Amino acid sequence: MIRQKGNRVRYVIDRMTMSDVPRVIEIERLAYPSTWPPSAYRKELQDNRWAHYIVLRDKHILEEQVSASQESERLRKNRPFPLSLLPGRPIALAPSPDLASIIGFSGLWLMVDEAHVTTIAMHPEHRGHGLGEFLLVSLIDISYNIGAKWVTLEVRVSNHTAQNLYRKYGFREAGVRHRYYSDNQEDALIMWTDEINSPAYKQKFLALKAALFQRLETE
Ligand SMILES: CC(C)(COP(=O)(O)OP(=O)(O)OC[C@H]1O[C@@H](n2cnc3c(N)ncnc32)[C@H](O)[C@@H]1OP(=O)(O)O)[C@@H](O)C(=O)NCCC(=O)NCCS
Protein backbone atom coordinates (compact mmCIF):
# COMPACT_ATOMS: atom_id res chain seq x y z
CA MET A 1 0.00 0.00 0.00
CA ILE A 2 1.35 3.46 -0.90
CA ARG A 3 0.27 6.49 1.13
CA GLN A 4 0.72 10.03 -0.14
CA LYS A 5 0.41 13.54 1.34
CA GLY A 6 -1.91 13.72 4.36
CA ASN A 7 -1.41 9.98 4.91
CA ARG A 8 -4.05 9.27 2.24
CA VAL A 9 -3.88 5.78 0.77
CA ARG A 10 -3.27 6.08 -2.98
CA TYR A 11 -2.08 2.80 -4.52
CA VAL A 12 -3.18 -0.59 -3.27
CA ILE A 13 -2.30 -4.10 -4.45
CA ASP A 14 -5.15 -6.60 -4.09
CA ARG A 15 -5.43 -10.25 -4.97
CA MET A 16 -7.33 -10.50 -8.29
CA THR A 17 -10.89 -11.83 -7.97
CA MET A 18 -13.36 -13.03 -10.60
CA SER A 19 -15.26 -9.73 -10.38
CA ASP A 20 -12.08 -7.87 -11.43
CA VAL A 21 -11.73 -9.87 -14.66
CA PRO A 22 -13.81 -7.61 -17.01
CA ARG A 23 -11.59 -4.62 -16.15
CA VAL A 24 -8.43 -6.76 -16.37
CA ILE A 25 -9.47 -7.84 -19.88
CA GLU A 26 -10.10 -4.20 -20.82
CA ILE A 27 -6.54 -3.27 -19.78
CA GLU A 28 -5.11 -6.42 -21.39
CA ARG A 29 -6.67 -5.44 -24.75
CA LEU A 30 -4.96 -2.04 -24.53
CA ALA A 31 -1.62 -3.55 -23.48
CA TYR A 32 -1.09 -6.66 -25.60
CA PRO A 33 -1.47 -7.47 -29.31
CA SER A 34 -3.28 -10.70 -28.42
CA THR A 35 -5.26 -11.55 -25.31
CA TRP A 36 -6.31 -14.51 -23.19
CA PRO A 37 -9.89 -15.77 -23.44
CA PRO A 38 -11.88 -14.74 -20.31
CA SER A 39 -12.14 -18.45 -19.39
CA ALA A 40 -8.36 -18.53 -18.94
CA TYR A 41 -8.65 -16.09 -16.02
CA ARG A 42 -11.43 -18.18 -14.48
CA LYS A 43 -9.18 -21.23 -14.66
CA GLU A 44 -6.20 -19.36 -13.27
CA LEU A 45 -8.13 -17.85 -10.36
CA GLN A 46 -10.29 -20.81 -9.45
CA ASP A 47 -8.41 -23.96 -10.44
CA ASN A 48 -4.70 -23.19 -10.42
CA ARG A 49 -3.44 -23.31 -6.86
CA TRP A 50 0.07 -22.35 -8.01
CA ALA A 51 -1.12 -19.13 -9.65
CA HIS A 52 -0.96 -15.74 -7.94
CA TYR A 53 -2.69 -12.81 -9.64
CA ILE A 54 -2.88 -9.24 -8.38
CA VAL A 55 -4.47 -5.96 -9.38
CA LEU A 56 -3.23 -2.44 -8.70
CA ARG A 57 -5.87 0.07 -7.61
CA ASP A 58 -5.66 3.85 -7.62
CA LYS A 59 -7.88 4.93 -4.72
CA HIS A 60 -8.06 8.50 -6.07
CA ILE A 61 -9.97 7.20 -9.09
CA LEU A 62 -12.37 5.43 -6.75
CA GLU A 63 -12.94 8.62 -4.72
CA GLU A 64 -13.38 10.75 -7.89
CA GLN A 65 -15.92 8.33 -9.34
CA VAL A 66 -17.90 8.16 -6.12
CA SER A 67 -17.99 11.95 -5.70
CA ALA A 68 -18.97 12.43 -9.39
CA SER A 69 -21.90 10.09 -8.95
CA GLN A 70 -22.91 11.79 -5.66
CA GLU A 71 -22.78 15.19 -7.40
CA SER A 72 -24.93 13.91 -10.25
CA GLU A 73 -27.47 12.59 -7.74
CA ARG A 74 -27.46 15.91 -5.83
CA LEU A 75 -28.11 17.87 -9.07
CA ARG A 76 -30.95 15.52 -9.99
CA LYS A 77 -32.63 15.93 -6.60
CA ASN A 78 -32.32 19.75 -6.76
CA ARG A 79 -34.20 19.95 -10.05
CA PRO A 80 -37.81 21.26 -9.76
CA PHE A 81 -40.56 18.65 -9.58
CA PRO A 82 -41.37 16.67 -11.78
CA LEU A 83 -37.90 16.87 -13.42
CA SER A 84 -36.40 15.56 -10.18
CA LEU A 85 -38.13 12.25 -10.93
CA LEU A 86 -36.17 11.83 -14.17
CA PRO A 87 -32.79 10.13 -14.15
CA GLY A 88 -29.79 12.47 -13.81
CA ARG A 89 -27.74 13.60 -16.80
CA PRO A 90 -25.65 10.58 -17.75
CA ILE A 91 -22.02 11.05 -16.80
CA ALA A 92 -19.13 8.97 -18.08
CA LEU A 93 -18.84 6.52 -15.22
CA ALA A 94 -17.45 3.03 -15.44
CA PRO A 95 -19.95 0.29 -14.50
CA SER A 96 -18.47 0.25 -11.01
CA PRO A 97 -16.06 2.75 -9.43
CA ASP A 98 -14.29 -0.15 -7.79
CA LEU A 99 -13.53 -1.69 -11.20
CA ALA A 100 -12.53 1.65 -12.71
CA SER A 101 -9.93 2.06 -9.97
CA ILE A 102 -7.98 -0.94 -11.33
CA ILE A 103 -5.13 0.46 -13.45
CA GLY A 104 -2.81 -2.55 -13.78
CA PHE A 105 -2.47 -6.24 -13.09
CA SER A 106 0.09 -9.01 -13.06
CA GLY A 107 0.54 -12.62 -12.16
CA LEU A 108 2.88 -15.54 -11.73
CA TRP A 109 2.94 -19.29 -11.31
CA LEU A 110 5.07 -21.11 -8.82
CA MET A 111 6.73 -24.14 -10.42
CA VAL A 112 8.64 -25.99 -7.72
CA ASP A 113 11.00 -23.19 -6.62
CA GLU A 114 10.72 -20.96 -9.68
CA ALA A 115 8.29 -18.06 -9.99
CA HIS A 116 7.23 -17.69 -13.64
CA VAL A 117 5.81 -14.26 -14.42
CA THR A 118 2.88 -14.84 -16.76
CA THR A 119 1.66 -11.29 -17.31
CA ILE A 120 2.25 -7.71 -16.22
CA ALA A 121 0.42 -4.74 -17.70
CA MET A 122 -0.41 -1.14 -16.89
CA HIS A 123 -3.27 0.85 -18.39
CA PRO A 124 -1.62 3.11 -21.03
CA GLU A 125 -2.86 6.29 -19.27
CA HIS A 126 -0.98 5.36 -16.11
CA ARG A 127 2.40 4.33 -17.50
CA GLY A 128 5.71 6.01 -16.79
CA HIS A 129 5.03 6.74 -13.10
CA GLY A 130 6.74 3.77 -11.50
CA LEU A 131 3.54 1.74 -11.25
CA GLY A 132 4.58 -1.09 -13.58
CA GLU A 133 7.63 -1.29 -11.36
CA PHE A 134 5.35 -1.43 -8.29
CA LEU A 135 3.60 -4.44 -9.88
CA LEU A 136 6.95 -6.17 -10.50
CA VAL A 137 8.11 -5.43 -6.94
CA SER A 138 4.84 -6.92 -5.66
CA LEU A 139 5.43 -10.07 -7.74
CA ILE A 140 8.95 -10.43 -6.36
CA ASP A 141 7.60 -9.93 -2.82
CA ILE A 142 5.08 -12.71 -3.52
CA SER A 143 7.93 -14.87 -4.85
CA TYR A 144 9.74 -14.48 -1.52
CA ASN A 145 6.55 -15.27 0.41
CA ILE A 146 5.80 -18.47 -1.51
CA GLY A 147 9.34 -19.81 -1.27
CA ALA A 148 10.52 -19.27 -4.83
CA LYS A 149 14.27 -19.12 -5.35
CA TRP A 150 14.33 -17.56 -8.82
CA VAL A 151 12.01 -15.41 -10.90
CA THR A 152 11.81 -15.93 -14.66
CA LEU A 153 9.81 -14.67 -17.62
CA GLU A 154 9.62 -14.37 -21.39
CA VAL A 155 9.54 -11.01 -23.13
CA ARG A 156 9.29 -9.99 -26.79
CA VAL A 157 12.68 -9.12 -28.29
CA SER A 158 11.13 -5.80 -29.42
CA ASN A 159 9.75 -4.88 -25.97
CA HIS A 160 12.58 -2.68 -24.74
CA THR A 161 10.44 -0.90 -22.13
CA ALA A 162 9.66 -4.14 -20.32
CA GLN A 163 13.23 -5.41 -20.77
CA ASN A 164 14.57 -2.23 -19.13
CA LEU A 165 12.24 -2.74 -16.19
CA TYR A 166 13.34 -6.37 -15.80
CA ARG A 167 17.04 -5.55 -16.13
CA LYS A 168 16.62 -2.91 -13.42
CA TYR A 169 15.51 -5.75 -11.12
CA GLY A 170 18.43 -8.00 -11.99
CA PHE A 171 16.82 -10.13 -14.71
CA ARG A 172 19.36 -11.36 -17.24
CA GLU A 173 18.97 -12.97 -20.64
CA ALA A 174 19.36 -16.72 -20.54
CA GLY A 175 18.24 -17.69 -24.03
CA VAL A 176 15.74 -17.17 -26.82
CA ARG A 177 12.52 -19.00 -27.68
CA HIS A 178 12.23 -18.70 -31.43
CA ARG A 179 8.85 -17.64 -32.91
CA TYR A 180 7.33 -17.87 -29.44
CA TYR A 181 4.52 -15.35 -30.06
CA SER A 182 1.90 -16.72 -32.41
CA ASP A 183 0.46 -13.33 -33.49
CA ASN A 184 3.64 -12.22 -35.32
CA GLN A 185 6.06 -15.14 -34.84
CA GLU A 186 8.30 -12.89 -32.75
CA ASP A 187 11.10 -14.39 -30.68
CA ALA A 188 11.02 -14.24 -26.88
CA LEU A 189 13.96 -13.51 -24.64
CA ILE A 190 14.04 -15.77 -21.61
CA MET A 191 15.14 -13.82 -18.55
CA TRP A 192 16.06 -14.97 -15.02
CA THR A 193 17.01 -13.32 -11.78
CA ASP A 194 19.88 -14.58 -9.66
CA GLU A 195 18.78 -16.51 -6.60
CA ILE A 196 16.50 -14.01 -4.87
CA ASN A 197 17.57 -15.11 -1.39
CA SER A 198 21.24 -14.39 -2.09
CA PRO A 199 22.38 -11.45 0.08
CA ALA A 200 23.43 -9.47 -3.01
CA TYR A 201 20.05 -9.81 -4.73
CA LYS A 202 18.08 -9.14 -1.56
CA GLN A 203 20.09 -6.01 -0.84
CA LYS A 204 19.64 -4.71 -4.38
CA PHE A 205 15.92 -5.51 -4.35
CA LEU A 206 15.29 -3.82 -1.00
CA ALA A 207 17.19 -0.70 -2.06
CA LEU A 208 15.23 -0.45 -5.35
CA LYS A 209 11.96 -1.04 -3.52
CA ALA A 210 12.71 1.66 -0.92
CA ALA A 211 13.59 4.18 -3.68
CA LEU A 212 10.40 3.30 -5.58
CA PHE A 213 8.17 3.68 -2.51
CA GLN A 214 9.73 7.03 -1.73
CA ARG A 215 9.08 8.15 -5.32
CA LEU A 216 5.46 6.97 -5.25
CA GLU A 217 4.80 8.53 -1.85
CA THR A 218 6.12 11.95 -2.80
CA GLU A 219 4.93 12.26 -6.41
C1 LIG B 1 5.99 -2.83 -19.17
C2 LIG B 1 5.04 -1.94 -18.36
C3 LIG B 1 4.26 -2.79 -17.37
C4 LIG B 1 5.89 -0.89 -17.58
O1 LIG B 1 5.02 -0.12 -16.79
P1 LIG B 1 5.23 1.44 -16.53
O2 LIG B 1 4.33 1.84 -15.43
O3 LIG B 1 5.10 2.20 -17.80
O4 LIG B 1 6.78 1.50 -16.13
P2 LIG B 1 7.41 2.30 -14.90
O5 LIG B 1 7.03 3.73 -14.99
O6 LIG B 1 7.13 1.58 -13.65
O7 LIG B 1 8.96 2.19 -15.27
C5 LIG B 1 9.79 1.21 -14.66
C6 LIG B 1 11.02 1.00 -15.54
O8 LIG B 1 10.63 0.50 -16.83
C7 LIG B 1 11.49 1.06 -17.82
N1 LIG B 1 10.71 1.95 -18.68
C8 LIG B 1 9.48 2.47 -18.42
N2 LIG B 1 9.05 3.22 -19.45
C9 LIG B 1 10.04 3.18 -20.37
C10 LIG B 1 10.19 3.74 -21.66
N3 LIG B 1 9.24 4.51 -22.21
N4 LIG B 1 11.32 3.48 -22.36
C11 LIG B 1 12.29 2.70 -21.83
N5 LIG B 1 12.22 2.12 -20.59
C12 LIG B 1 11.10 2.38 -19.89
C13 LIG B 1 12.55 1.84 -17.07
O9 LIG B 1 13.60 0.95 -16.74
C14 LIG B 1 11.80 2.24 -15.82
O10 LIG B 1 12.66 2.52 -14.73
P3 LIG B 1 13.11 4.06 -14.44
O11 LIG B 1 11.85 4.78 -14.06
O12 LIG B 1 14.08 3.94 -13.33
O13 LIG B 1 13.68 4.56 -15.74
C15 LIG B 1 4.09 -1.15 -19.31
O14 LIG B 1 4.84 -0.46 -20.26
C16 LIG B 1 3.05 -2.02 -20.01
O15 LIG B 1 1.99 -2.30 -19.48
N6 LIG B 1 3.37 -2.44 -21.27
C17 LIG B 1 2.44 -3.24 -22.06
C18 LIG B 1 2.39 -4.69 -21.58
C19 LIG B 1 3.77 -5.32 -21.61
O16 LIG B 1 4.53 -5.14 -22.55
N7 LIG B 1 4.06 -6.11 -20.56
C20 LIG B 1 5.31 -6.82 -20.45
C21 LIG B 1 5.13 -8.17 -21.04
S1 LIG B 1 6.61 -9.16 -20.89
Side-chain angles (χ1 to χ4, degrees):
M1 180 190 299
I2 302 286
R3 291 177 183 275
Q4 288 183 332
K5 259 188 290 193
N7 212 23
R8 283 175 71 206
V9 173
R10 176 83 195 255
Y11 300 114
V12 174
I13 296 285
D14 283 330
R15 191 168 275 275
M16 190 189 295
T17 64
M18 281 305 294
S19 58
D20 298 332
V21 170
R23 175 65 173 164
V24 165
I25 289 174
E26 208 177 304
I27 297 173
E28 194 192 26
R29 288 207 179 107
L30 298 169
Y32 289 115
S34 57
T35 54
W36 292 359
S39 60
Y41 284 101
R42 196 171 321 119
K43 273 203 194 116
E44 290 288 86
L45 298 181
Q46 294 178 342
D47 304 336
N48 185 352
R49 57 186 289 233
W50 307 112
H52 298 262
Y53 283 85
I54 54 177
V55 292
L56 169 60
R57 285 198 159 80
D58 180 347
K59 290 289 180 183
H60 281 193
I61 295 179
L62 187 63
E63 286 160 18
E64 276 164 17
Q65 292 262 323
V66 168
S67 66
S69 86
Q70 283 167 347
E71 177 63 6
S72 158
E73 184 57 13
R74 191 186 65 75
L75 291 174
R76 186 189 68 76
K77 283 194 179 144
N78 284 348
R79 288 192 296 182
F81 182 83
L83 292 178
S84 58
L85 297 177
L86 296 173
R89 190 165 57 84
I91 50 171
L93 289 179
S96 130
D98 198 42
L99 277 191
S101 73
I102 296 175
I103 56 171
F105 66 94
S106 60
L108 59 75
W109 291 344
L110 179 68
M111 289 182 186
V112 192
D113 47 13
E114 301 165 359
H116 289 246
V117 175
T118 54
T119 184
I120 176 165
M122 280 300 304
H123 190 290
E125 284 170 15
H126 299 273
R127 290 185 194 159
H129 300 291
L131 296 168
E133 187 173 336
F134 186 30
L135 281 170
L136 183 65
V137 163
S138 306
L139 287 184
I140 297 173
D141 272 332
I142 290 173
S143 304
Y144 278 113
N145 289 335
I146 60 180
K149 289 188 179 157
W150 295 273
V151 188
T152 181
L153 50 82
E154 279 98 14
V155 55
R156 286 176 193 261
V157 288
S158 65
N159 193 347
H160 299 292
T161 299
Q163 288 168 32
N164 284 345
L165 168 61
Y166 303 144
R167 288 204 180 92
K168 184 171 177 181
Y169 279 78
F171 286 79
R172 284 200 287 246
E173 284 172 52
V176 174
R177 284 192 214 288
H178 294 287
R179 304 163 75 82
Y180 182 71
Y181 296 98
S182 53
D183 57 293
N184 66 349
Q185 313 301 317
E186 190 172 347
D187 293 348
L189 292 184
I190 306 165
M191 300 185 90
W192 286 84
T193 59
D194 290 338
E195 190 166 349
I196 58 175
N197 284 304
S198 68
Y201 189 88
K202 220 168 195 173
Q203 197 183 359
K204 178 185 166 124
F205 173 66
L206 291 176
L208 285 168
K209 181 176 165 180
L212 174 70
F213 276 39
Q214 192 173 17
R215 173 183 172 191
L216 293 176
E217 279 162 8
T218 50
E219 242 175 32

